[in-house]
Amino acid sequence: MQIIEQPHAIIHPGLVAGIGFFDGVHLGHRSLIANIISKAEERQMASAVITFRTHPREVLHSDYCPQLINTFEEKIEHLSQTGLNYCIVLDFTPEMSQMSALDFIRFLIDNYSLKCLFIGYDHRFGHNRLEGFEDYVNYGKELHIDVLQAEMCMPEGKHVSSSTIRQLISEGNVSE
């Protein structure tokens, strides 16, 4: 997996990607990543995740101190074991937080040759996270890319998320 930290650094003509913080690179993330890789292979494109060096809430709320599952370095190591072609690392800034979802998608297209974007079942991005999946699909149509929704991963009928895992760890329930 190649780590990309600068715009225009991907030489592949098309990219299938998913976006998220990917704390813990847990089963839900791995399910999304499997969708990305499968679609990229089907379309003969490259696969990628788009993530952030620091948690966006740290930038938006100076008093927020997340108890993360992994360090940034550990996250990159876990992602490198998934079979992805690229990991795009963005620095979340106050300026980026003001971008609309449409502008952010346009930024990804212009800088990374994005052709298909997978969205997690509950993921929201863009200024104030006001827009949802249907908005992203409409933006994709406008910008000539596919926006697809990843399915929720529920092994043994249980919801998997970084927040749930953090809660279980804080309760000392590591085996769960």
Side-chain angles (χ1 to χ4, degrees):
M1 177 182 80
Q2 185 178 352
I3 298 168
I4 305 295
E5 298 184 88
Q6 299 296 322
H8 307 295
I10 295 177
I11 57 173
H12 203 279
L15 191 69
V16 177
I19 185 169
F21 190 68
F22 295 100
D23 187 27
V25 192
H26 54 66
L27 291 175
H29 295 141
R30 290 178 187 269
S31 176
L32 170 63
I33 291 167
N35 281 249
I36 293 166
I37 292 170
S38 176
K39 187 60 73 175
E41 289 173 353
E42 176 186 309
R43 294 184 178 192
Q44 298 181 339
M45 294 182 181
S47 60
V49 293
I50 301 159
T51 192
F52 304 97
R53 185 171 306 284
T54 58
H55 200 288
R57 282 190 235 162
E58 283 186 73
V59 173
L60 297 173
H61 308 288
S62 60
D63 60 337
Y64 178 74
C65 184
Q67 297 296 311
L68 299 179
I69 300 166
N70 293 127
T71 65
F72 174 75
E73 293 77 17
E74 290 169 335
K75 172 171 64 173
I76 295 300
E77 177 60 30
H78 291 305
L79 287 170
S80 73
Q81 297 169 9
T82 64
L84 288 162
N85 299 116
Y86 298 103
C87 177
I88 299 168
V89 179
L90 301 177
D91 289 315
F92 192 84
T93 63
E95 294 78 21
M96 184 178 283
S97 76
Q98 296 300 309
M99 292 175 80
S100 69
L102 176 61
D103 288 340
F104 186 68
I105 293 171
R106 192 176 282 127
F107 166 82
L108 297 176
I109 292 167
D110 293 346
N111 289 284
Y112 302 103
S113 301
L114 183 70
K115 301 289 184 206
C116 179
L117 180 63
F118 269 93
I119 305 293
Y121 72 95
D122 65 347
H123 189 79
R124 290 182 172 265
F125 60 88
H127 182 63
N128 290 330
R129 300 169 45 129
L130 295 175
E131 297 142 315
F133 180 72
E134 291 305 318
D135 297 304
Y136 308 147
V137 169
N138 290 331
Y139 300 150
K141 288 177 185 173
E142 180 181 331
L143 299 170
H144 308 291
I145 68 163
D146 293 320
V147 176
L148 306 173
Q149 190 165 35
E151 295 188 23
M152 186 164 64
C153 177
M154 292 189 60
E156 300 177 21
K158 297 178 183 176
H159 174 70
V160 179
S161 72
S162 298
S163 298
T164 302
I165 293 170
R166 282 188 214 105
Q167 179 67 35
L168 290 168
I169 291 170
S170 74
E171 295 169 355
N173 193 348
V174 177
S175 63
E176 182 69 19

